[in-house]
Amino acid sequence: MKLFGTDGIRGKFGVFPLDESTIRKLGAALSEIYSKDIKKFFIAHDGRLSHKIICEELLKGILSSHDFEIIFLGLHPTPSIPYILSEQTEKDSMGIQITASHNPYSDNGLKIFNSDGYKISFIDENKITQILESINDVNKKIDYSIFENESYTNDYTNYLSFFSKKYLDDSKKMHVAIDCANGALSDVIKSIRLPKNISLTVFSDKPNGKNINNNCGAVYPEYLSKVITQKNRNLCSSDHEWIDFGMTFDGDGDRAILISETGRIIDGDEILFILCSSGIKKTLVGTLMTNFGIRASLEKIGHTFIETDVGDKYVLEAILNNNAFMGSESSGHVIHTDACKIPTGDAMITLIKMIYILQSNEASVNEIYPKSLKIPSKLINIKTTNSKKFIENNHSKFKKVEELLSENGRILVRESGTQPMVRILIEHKSPDILKNAEKIVKSIL
């Protein structure tokens, strides 16, 4: 049984592993494993229609044989759970985020956090899977009212407000455009207290259950790019309506993509470079997908770059194992070690730090990052029902691409850990050679 992927449990709602029976059994497995040490579960969700049913079925399992205190955070970003758990004096709590992150609204999933605020280990994932397989079903009725606990949600927004006060000043007015992806940050962002000189114009902040990540957010940064380009086209930077930069979030608020004042789209690995381009030389973490141009640029200015597998869990693990300062994924995950008690990937922290960098340098995004440092690359996503078989059947084509790209480029073929697709990354210093390689890959289709 394949229950967990690279980032928790994820899939199409109503279909294994997101069918109601499996969700109930998951809750029962959690109850059985953690009942000795855990007394409370914090539960939050993103903007998907299916979150209520998932929560109800999950509770039927969790409360089927043991009593726990259930604390609902409501529509809240994933990073709020690690923060809240890390602040608990008594290590008797766990957290569950009901989310499918960047996936379409028809999908959903669960991210599970231990009492320290970290995602549960592979060992615990295997234990849960084994116990779940031994459970026939859970049919016990429970009586539990779902209502939001504002004290804990306020703790998180107060923390972000304090962090912004610590870093930001009132020296320069700044206007930032934000795209919330109709997701988990849609309400939270309105409660964060930024300095009065920082104004936000917020887009895609009205989740209706079906519009999460729909032509917006970190999976579709072109939307906010177009908004900023059209808005600034006939303005100068001194106009009060001028947008200094934009940031577009994913559905559960742990990823961010940067948009410059001219609409340039800047990914997570490039954000890592911008945030670490000055100051003390540090150890930084990226993934197999990190563009070779970014790696070389980080090493050129004295940083040590460590590569790990794709997935923010792996980036975090490499940060902890190597005492690294920061890590990132090109998709927009940036994990910070200096924001709270544990390293955390929080799109709002990325936003606050970006404002700080621009204030400190008294410069625009295009001035501090005038051109992309990435070598030409292309990411091709291919939907398939059997990723392993697809890769095996097209091995000869991939080998042909590898030979074409040779030592000045590369091809990386991997199964997605969050969606039923194969992701193919190709890179080469020459745009023409890259284009020929792309033709070979697309001929498979």
Side-chain angles (χ1 to χ4, degrees), residues 168-173 197 359-360 362:
L168 308 182
D169 59 45
D170 56 4
S171 62
K172 177 190 174 185
K173 288 186 177 181
N197 57 305
Q359 283 187 334
S360 301
E362 297 183 350

Side-chain angles (χ1 to χ4, degrees), residues 304-359:
T304 300
F305 180 86
I306 294 174
E307 177 187 273
T308 190
D309 289 334
V310 176
D312 65 321
K313 178 185 284 191
Y314 299 108
V315 175
L316 174 60
E317 182 179 45
I319 287 174
L320 295 173
N321 290 342
N322 296 279
N323 195 28
F325 174 68
M326 196 179 292
S328 72
E329 293 188 282
S330 56
S331 60
H333 282 125
V334 179
I335 296 180
H336 308 273
T337 62
D338 57 348
C340 69
K341 290 181 179 179
I342 64 172
T344 182
D346 192 326
M348 284 303 306
I349 296 298
T350 302
L351 169 65
I352 293 167
K353 284 191 175 182
M354 186 56 60
I355 296 173
Y356 168 75
I357 288 289
L358 298 180
Q359 283 187 334

Side-chain angles (χ1 to χ4, degrees), residues 116-184:
D116 292 319
Y118 297 112
K119 289 176 183 173
I120 58 172
S121 67
F122 295 116
I123 293 172
D124 279 9
E125 288 180 352
N126 289 333
K127 284 181 182 177
I128 291 167
T129 302
Q130 290 171 7
I131 291 175
L132 188 149
E133 288 178 320
S134 69
I135 299 172
N136 291 324
D137 202 351
V138 179
N139 296 307
K140 184 177 179 180
K141 290 185 178 181
I142 62 164
D143 183 19
Y144 208 98
S145 299
I146 297 177
F147 61 90
E148 186 177 321
N149 188 311
E150 291 188 2
S151 64
Y152 287 104
T153 58
N154 289 340
D155 284 348
Y156 176 67
T157 54
N158 288 339
Y159 145 71
L160 291 176
S161 299
F162 176 79
F163 191 83
S164 69
K165 184 178 180 181
K166 176 182 175 182
Y167 271 85
L168 308 182
D169 59 45
D170 56 4
S171 62
K172 177 190 174 185
K173 288 186 177 181
M174 194 168 291
H175 180 198
V176 185
I178 300 294
D179 182 342
C180 287
N182 293 310

Side-chain angles (χ1 to χ4, degrees), residues 146 199 262 382:
I146 297 177
S199 62
T262 56
I382 301 176

Side-chain angles (χ1 to χ4, degrees), residues 281-285 298-299 302-306:
K281 307 314 173 191
K282 301 176 176 72
T283 299
L284 305 173
V285 176
L298 287 169
E299 290 170 348
H303 295 301
T304 300
F305 180 86
I306 294 174

